[in-house]
Amino acid sequence: MMSSNQAKPENSPHILVLGMGGTIAGLAPNPEVDPRSYKAGELGIETLLAKIQEAIPGNLKLLAQQVANINSRDLCEDLLTLLGNLVKTSLENPAVQGIVITHGTDTVEEAGFFLSATCGKLAEKLGKRVVLTGAMLPANAPQADGPLNLLDALKWAATSRENCPGGVFAVFAGKVCLARDLAKRHTSALNAPLMDSPSTPVGMVNPSWMSRVRAIEKASGDDLPIPQGLWPWVEILTSHAGARSQVIEFLASTGVQGLVLAGTGLGGFHQAWEEALKLAQDKGIALIKTSRTGAGMIREESALGLTAGSLSAPRARIALQLALNAAKGDKSLTWQDFFARIAVLPEIR
Ligand code: SIN
């Protein structure tokens, strides 16, 4: 294994392994009795790799780099920019064959969507894979899932181009999915980040999943720029019984640039919001409609807001931030054009 701290940059072919922290790097004070009480982001990426060294195929050269070591609930936009820039420049490095990223599962949905929308086409064109992974149990738990997830992610990143196209993927609990499909849907199940996402076993790829991957990649537009400064301010609001308009009026008066509405059912929202949303939209605040149900498509278009297809609210929020940022830099297209390019793909099963 090679370390990023070596004086000379590594020029021979290798897989770059980036550490972001999370439960995979977490430690529990009392792992035998209570493995679920732990602190995330305690071990470095080199240590995580050292634990599986014996099992790593001998021909695989790795270069490890610690980007952050956080609990991903604290993920911030600056860190996404740092990660995105690093992934982009590393993909362009001919010595990098693929990239594995260890990440907390709490916001891996956002990081996965962000990387897909900003580096997905590049990865695809170069035939390289970016693979996110993590764990639901800390590194010192008796049943720790991190070591196998990391090993599977390394294998997936190194899979030959004939067997799988380049792109941004995620590996958890023996399964792989497109990173744009990630959505943590359970507090503790080992497959939580992809339990509701179209996926396939890492070791025995289902041909219909692979043809879906190819169809989605064909339908996705060009990569969007990575915001380099302050990201546009976008909030998520959930509609519910007894919803009130004051929160919208407050955000609209304090400079919010976009609102993602996690509506009920097919994406509808409480009538108490209607007037305040109309005023917000007239003021130039971007509105996106999603559903709080957690699954299915929203097709219904209306005068208020764009629909986000099958995107969850956290993913739609990243998409809107990237679209607002792109429209600021390229006046020939609107934020709606950029949003449609990355968010609203035809329904592909
Ligand atoms: C985190 O997201 O950093 C903690 C939770 C996890 O990784 O499962």
Side-chain angles (χ1 to χ4, degrees):
M1 202 187 312
M2 306 178 285
S3 152
S4 59
N5 298 330
Q6 280 170 339
K8 260 170 85 194
E10 189 49 59
N11 292 325
S12 58
H14 62 270
I15 303 281
L16 179 65
V17 189
L18 302 176
M20 290 285 285
T23 296
I24 190 167
L27 289 177
N30 206 348
E32 306 286 337
V33 180
D34 189 5
R36 300 238 179 233
S37 297
Y38 63 90
K39 188 155 181 272
E42 291 283 274
L43 299 177
I45 188 64
E46 303 258 6
T47 309
L48 301 188
L49 287 169
K51 281 176 187 276
I52 56 165
Q53 190 149 22
E54 311 267 276
I56 297 173
N59 56 352
L60 224 53
K61 293 269 175 302
L62 308 179
L63 181 69
Q65 187 173 340
Q66 196 76 48
V67 182
N69 213 348
I70 59 163
N71 185 316
S72 81
R73 64 181 171 213
D74 299 325
L75 182 63
C76 59
E77 290 149 351
D78 285 354
L79 195 48
L80 283 178
T81 295
L82 180 70
L83 179 66
N85 290 341
L86 189 55
V87 166
K88 216 166 162 180
T89 48
S90 305
L91 281 171
E92 280 158 355
N93 176 352
V96 174
Q97 297 168 297
I99 302 174
V100 167
I101 305 169
T102 55
H103 198 288
T105 63
D106 280 3
T107 56
V108 73
E109 176 169 356
E110 277 108 312
F113 190 83
F114 164 72
L115 291 174
S116 305
T118 55
C119 308
K121 275 284 152 193
L122 179 65
E124 198 191 320
K125 261 186 230 143
L126 295 170
K128 296 180 183 180
R129 250 152 273 125
V130 178
V131 187
L132 287 146
T133 195
M136 294 297 290
L137 288 167
N140 61 346
Q143 309 291 326
D145 53 332
L148 198 53
N149 285 349
L150 183 52
L151 197 58
D152 280 345
L154 291 170
K155 288 182 185 159
W156 190 255
T159 299
S160 88
R161 287 185 200 191
E162 290 72 54
N163 295 337
C164 176
V168 188
F169 296 86
V171 165
F172 287 94
K175 295 220 164 157
V176 54
C177 73
L178 276 172
R180 63 166 284 132
D181 290 330
L182 279 170
K184 191 171 179 180
R185 290 278 178 263
H186 198 277
T187 55
S188 57
L190 297 188
N191 64 348
L194 50 58
M195 69 195 303
D196 275 352
S197 317
S199 63
T200 191
V202 177
M204 209 176 62
V205 174
N206 178 335
S208 73
W209 176 82
M210 188 56 83
S211 51
R212 179 182 180 273
V213 168
R214 292 186 200 279
I216 295 230
E217 290 194 339
K218 201 158 162 234
S220 338
D222 289 344
D223 289 339
L224 257 50
I226 297 170
Q228 296 302 323
L230 205 57
W231 286 40
W233 180 19
V234 174
E235 292 289 335
I236 298 172
L237 295 179
T238 303
S239 185
H240 49 79
R244 299 179 187 198
S245 63
Q246 283 92 330
V247 65
I248 299 168
E249 288 152 10
F250 171 75
L251 288 169
S253 68
T254 45
V256 81
Q257 289 156 274
L259 294 174
V260 170
L261 311 171
T264 44
L266 281 170
F269 46 77
H270 200 293
Q271 60 179 3
W273 278 8
E274 196 151 333
E275 205 45 45
L277 286 177
K278 267 193 208 135
L279 290 173
Q281 187 167 263
D282 291 348
K283 223 174 152 179
I285 295 167
L287 301 181
I288 297 293
K289 298 203 306 182
T290 66
S291 171
R292 71 174 201 182
T293 57
M297 290 280 282
I298 300 187
R299 287 195 194 80
E300 179 205 342
E301 293 291 344
S302 70
L304 264 186
L306 272 188
T307 59
S310 62
L311 290 189
S312 61
R315 275 176 274 165
R317 177 176 171 274
I318 296 281
L320 179 54
Q321 288 180 296
L322 295 179
L324 288 168
N325 174 68
K328 204 172 64 181
D330 175 356
K331 305 272 184 241
S332 66
L333 293 174
T334 63
W335 69 261
Q336 288 91 337
D337 296 326
F338 285 112
F339 184 84
R341 186 196 282 181
I342 50 170
V344 188
L345 300 182
E347 195 169 9
I348 300 166
R349 289 176 190 282

